[in-house]
Amino acid sequence: MRVGAFVLAAQFPGQGQGEPLHRAVRTAEVAEEAGLDGVWLAEHHFVPYGVCPSAVTLAALLLGRTRRLRVGTAVSVLPNTHPVALGEQAALLHVTSGGRFTLGVGRGGPWVDLEVFGSGIEAYETGFAEDLDLLRRWLTEPRVAASGERHGFREVAVVPRPAEALDGDGTGPEVIVACTSPASVRLAAERGLPMLLGMHCGDEDKAAMVALWRRTALAAGHAPEAVRAAGHVSAGVCQLADRTADARETLLKSMPGWFKQGLDAHVTVDGRERAMRDPVAYTELLCALHPVGTPRLAADRLAATSERTGITRFALLTEGSGDLAATEENVRRIGAEVLPRLGGGPDL
């Protein structure tokens, strides 16, 4: 089982924008010390929900600060950038880190980002599949041209070519796809790409999505052994304490204010109605779904999720307290008190 930290660089009420970014960097440094498998970095624009606007840029810093840790984006918002530009950045990080980088991509939302970056609502509503396929070609082929509805250009050389740069292993960086609907599950499965499943989903929903992915991938002709070995990632929340009630109380004191401030700040590009979650109810839901409590409870919940869904990789939000020292302690306790119960340790 591979356990990593999910880093949103969340700006809690009363904090400046530098504090969550410093906390993000320290989370990665402590995660490596504690024996976690990696960190997963979120990307958001123009909102305090998360103040990291470029997950690949922060990934570059953290890859340079660490030696063993895997660093992934969860996710880079593909409609906000050109697939070739993102592909070049991913290739660079893959090569210079010795293969420690994972590129997670997602469709994002119908936010004002689409207006600011000039991609338009079509990039969100209909353009994701074309963008994803162009990105994958860039990461696997020596030369690429495009003649699609959104992208058209003459053939050019891929430099650096990630599929050849690391001892000629023939592979580029791992690519995963954030999936929130049956359509996105099928899109990922047809391409044989593993999924990142959100923290709002319980085990039953995630198991159903994994089952749909497997059926679709097999129908698309992917080898059964590759389908069985797909490294899907489950996002969640982890807060540890000696008593479960104390862990829940920590999150119920801090997260609702962050959710309200952060989620309220999202602006749709076309004025469409938004369904807003109740911040307290959502925090309570996350506490019920995920490893929030004692280290034993946390290990039992992770093991249960893995058994029910077949997922063995986890990206766990550890900054839910909003406090730097508490986040560092939380990460250290995962390494010292949860991983050993899962059969892991510093060499996960």
Side-chain angles (χ1 to χ4, degrees):
M1 195 174 296
R2 295 163 61 184
V3 177
F6 184 23
V7 177
L8 272 75
Q11 183 182 359
F12 288 77
Q15 294 181 351
Q17 295 174 352
E19 186 172 342
L21 291 172
H22 177 61
R23 189 171 63 242
V25 174
R26 284 296 298 152
T27 296
E29 293 172 338
V30 175
E32 177 158 81
E33 295 167 5
L36 274 67
D37 176 71
V39 293
W40 298 88
L41 309 175
E43 174 183 314
H44 295 90
H45 299 274
F46 322 126
V47 293
Y49 183 77
V51 300
C52 171
S54 174
V56 290
T57 301
L58 185 55
L61 172 66
L62 299 184
L63 287 166
R65 290 282 186 98
T66 57
R67 292 294 175 266
R68 176 193 57 81
L69 202 71
R70 290 198 62 82
V71 179
T73 62
V75 294
S76 295
V77 183
L78 190 49
N80 286 346
T81 188
H82 195 289
V84 170
L86 184 59
E88 288 184 323
Q89 292 170 313
L92 186 63
L93 295 184
H94 174 70
V95 173
T96 56
S97 70
R100 290 191 290 130
F101 177 68
T102 294
L103 178 62
V105 294
R107 195 163 68 108
W111 310 128
V112 71
D113 314 8
L114 298 166
E115 175 185 319
V116 174
F117 296 118
S119 47
I121 191 67
E122 295 80 11
Y124 164 73
E125 292 185 333
T126 62
F128 184 69
E130 180 184 334
D131 286 358
L132 179 60
D133 289 340
L134 176 55
L135 172 67
R136 292 179 65 231
R137 289 176 55 213
W138 191 267
L139 294 174
T140 56
E141 298 177 9
R143 298 182 65 85
V144 174
S147 58
E149 292 185 7
R150 286 175 41 75
H151 305 290
F153 53 85
R154 71 188 71 181
E155 185 179 272
V156 293
V158 175
V159 180
R161 188 183 174 200
E164 290 184 349
L166 294 180
D167 300 322
D169 65 359
T171 61
E174 177 188 33
V175 177
I176 66 170
V177 180
C179 294
T180 58
S181 68
S184 57
V185 172
R186 293 188 185 97
L187 181 146
E190 288 165 355
R191 292 154 178 80
L193 298 175
M195 301 180 292
L196 172 70
L197 300 180
M199 60 186 181
H200 60 286
C201 297
D203 290 350
E204 185 176 346
D205 288 337
K206 288 179 178 177
M209 296 173 84
V210 170
L212 174 60
W213 188 96
R214 288 174 175 167
R215 292 194 303 271
T216 307
L218 289 170
H222 294 286
E225 57 271 22
V227 171
R228 287 192 297 269
H232 306 303
V233 181
S234 174
V237 176
C238 183
Q239 186 67 40
L240 301 179
D242 293 334
R243 300 191 315 148
T244 294
D246 293 339
R248 292 173 60 90
E249 183 179 2
T250 294
L251 298 187
L252 284 166
K253 283 182 177 179
S254 57
M255 290 181 71
W258 162 53
F259 281 137
K260 179 169 178 52
Q261 172 181 276
L263 296 176
D264 280 354
H266 281 86
V267 176
T268 58
V269 68
D270 52 5
R272 69 180 67 183
E273 291 289 328
R274 295 181 52 207
M276 298 293 293
R277 293 182 181 272
D278 176 83
V280 174
Y282 188 39
T283 303
E284 291 175 337
L285 172 67
L286 297 178
C287 289
L289 292 178
H290 299 301
V292 175
T294 65
R296 179 174 295 279
L297 179 148
D300 288 346
R301 282 196 176 167
L302 290 172
T305 294
S306 183
E307 181 177 354
R308 293 166 184 159
T309 66
I311 296 172
T312 58
R313 301 167 72 188
F314 293 89
L316 301 178
L317 179 75
T318 56
E319 61 186 307
S321 66
D323 178 77
L324 173 60
T327 299
E328 292 184 2
E329 179 186 9
N330 200 31
V331 173
R332 290 192 177 96
R333 292 194 71 173
I334 293 172
E337 301 177 59
V338 176
L339 295 189
R341 288 184 165 92
L342 298 172
D347 295 321
L348 267 179

